[in-house]
Amino acid sequence: MKSILLSSALFLANIAGAQYTKLFDLSNGNSPHPAGTLLFDGTYLYGMTEYGGSSGLGNVYKIKPDGSGFADLLDFNGANGRQPKGALVTDGTWLYGMTFSGGTSDQGVVFKVKKDGSAATRLLDFNGTNGAYPYGSLTLSASTLYGMTQQGGATHQGVIFRINTDGSGNTDLYDFDGIHGFAPESSLLLDGGVLYGMTRGGGTGMCPPDYCGVIFKIGTDGSNFTKLFDFRNDTATGSSPRGDLVSDGTWLYGMTFYGGSKGLGTVFKIRKDGSGYNKMVNFASTIATKGEFPVGALTLQNGYLYGMTSSGGIGDGIIFRIKPDGAGYEILYEFNDGNEPHGSLISDGTYLYGTTYYGGTGCSEPHAPQGCGIIFRYQYSAATGVAENDGHGEFNLFPNPSDGIFTISNVERDAKVCVYNDLGACVYQKNIRKDESGKIDLSSFSKGVYIVEINSESGKVMKKITVQ
């Protein structure tokens, strides 16, 4: 049965792979190990790496969405920062970002550089008192930048700060103290004049120091800090959020790196006032929700939330999507060339773009046996399904999801139907004649995701179905 499961999983991954394109192999010669999420300005994708550039301390680069035109814009050398994290933001002329370390105190910097790589300027050196070791991205509003640091501040547990785009007006808005959060590793979301965010640790959830975490909101002037939610060291909520929040105007959506029923992370939503917490996905090592340790933020596009996990699937992480109401979880792609997706997905309306920290063919040195990472894109649409066809015919299957009763129609030849569970076992079989409609009755089966295989003289076709 294990071989059936493996062949089915690889078949589905190959189908989804038709929509997947590796754009670029990062290498020691250009930019190994990307640092977080890409930025798209309509012409170029901009990103950063942790170990690229002439000094090996990280760089800023750009590349066209078709994978051509890669260019190194800025090399970090220690004095101007080193090991950038997170993503860049832009006001149309300048790119703004942060490095985890480097600068005068070696505790990180805020910088800006023009999109052609010129006029690089260090706006702020973190020194411990004003923050230390930023891990997320900046949030830009008009001429003000907002951000967080993982450490520093009055209690050395991280700060929320703001600074003007010309480097003036640096202000410590809030010092985390453990109970109200500890060590943020994400970015702030500006929604309706309020900043929302999460911390990796802290809160009152009875966790080790590096776990649990909180969701909070705060005014842009530093007033009215409110803790909205404490993650707990249990299966009900998840723990240790390390990505960003995204909002549809009513709900905040996010992910936790740990926790859930299997301890492998969750997808959740919560109202902006802190009520209505709803855990939508428990990541687990099964075919239904396989994926482990989600990374980055969710991307809201075409009525779906898209995201990635850093491992799981056939081994190296997945791209998935889910509807905002928690229905319709689907695995869109299982990585097998890139390894360990990094940061969040971004969209240009047709493609999703992202990076992996390892994988690809660009590295062969002993220090990078897993590869230097890749830049990729995935073509999607609101109607995209995960499976579907190997070129040997098609069939209709509806409604999907359902309460267990499905109808198959448009079968081109006499066929054998087999339904596989998440262990790879064929748990339901029947024969269907050409041009006849048939019923699949899974009403007595457990809720979850199954694979329907239609096998005829034309070949095999597979679809995922959900019993709810």
Side-chain angles (χ1 to χ4, degrees), residues 107 126-132 151-154 156 159 172 175:
Q107 296 181 69
F126 293 107
N127 57 26
T129 300
N130 64 354
Q151 299 180 38
H156 311 291
V159 306
D172 183 343
D175 293 298

Side-chain angles (χ1 to χ4, degrees), residues 14-21 332 351 377-381 384-385:
N14 288 337
I15 292 165
Q19 299 168 275
Y20 171 90
T21 303
L332 300 178
Y351 295 99
R377 73 183 183 192
Y378 181 88
Q379 187 174 12
Y380 70 102
S381 70
T384 298

Side-chain angles (χ1 to χ4, degrees), residues 354-433:
T355 63
T356 68
Y357 195 76
Y358 297 111
T361 60
C363 286
S364 58
E365 271 68 359
H367 82 277
Q370 295 177 284
C372 283
I374 66 170
I375 302 169
F376 67 87
R377 73 183 183 192
Y378 181 88
Q379 187 174 12
Y380 70 102
S381 70
T384 298
V386 174
E388 336 260 31
N389 188 338
D390 67 353
H392 296 292
E394 182 56 85
F395 66 95
N396 296 326
L397 192 153
F398 58 92
N400 187 20
S402 84
D403 59 0
I405 305 297
F406 301 84
T407 298
I408 295 177
S409 65
N410 196 34
V411 177
E412 296 180 353
R413 299 192 180 189
D414 293 352
K416 181 179 178 179
V417 177
C418 187
V419 179
Y420 293 98
N421 66 10
D422 62 357
L423 297 178
C426 184
V427 294
Y428 182 96
Q429 297 183 62
K430 74 178 300 180
N431 296 320
I432 297 179
R433 297 184 64 83

Side-chain angles (χ1 to χ4, degrees), residues 23-24 43-45 62-71 375 377:
L23 297 176
F24 194 76
T43 303
Y44 281 95
L45 298 164
K62 69 178 181 180
I63 187 171
K64 291 181 179 178
D66 63 0
S68 66
F70 182 92
I375 302 169
R377 73 183 183 192

Side-chain angles (χ1 to χ4, degrees), residues 146 160 162 171-174 195 217-225:
Y146 301 91
I160 303 171
R162 72 179 180 197
T171 304
D172 183 343
L173 298 178
Y174 189 79
L195 296 164
K217 67 178 181 179
I218 188 172
T220 54
D221 61 357
S223 63
N224 299 319
F225 180 95

Side-chain angles (χ1 to χ4, degrees), residues 215 229 231 236-238 256 266 268-270 274-279:
I215 303 172
F229 189 79
F231 292 99
T237 67
T256 65
T266 71
F268 68 86
K269 67 179 180 180
I270 188 172
S275 66
Y277 182 89
N278 183 349
K279 185 179 61 172

Side-chain angles (χ1 to χ4, degrees), residues 35-39 46-48 84-90 96-100 109-111 126 133-140 144-150 159-161 184-190 195-198 242-244 296-297 343-344 346:
T37 305
L38 296 165
L39 166 71
Y46 298 86
M48 300 186 287
K85 303 285 187 181
L88 296 159
V89 297
T90 185
Y96 301 89
M98 297 189 288
T99 67
F100 181 74
V109 307
V110 178
F111 69 89
F126 293 107
Y133 309 118
Y135 207 92
S137 309
L138 294 163
T139 299
L140 176 64
T144 304
L145 297 161
Y146 301 91
M148 297 189 288
T149 65
Q150 189 185 55
V159 306
I160 303 171
F161 70 90
E185 288 190 3
S186 56
S187 311
L188 294 162
L189 167 69
L190 181 59
L195 296 164
Y196 296 86
M198 299 189 289
R242 300 186 179 188
D244 308 339
S344 309
I346 64 166

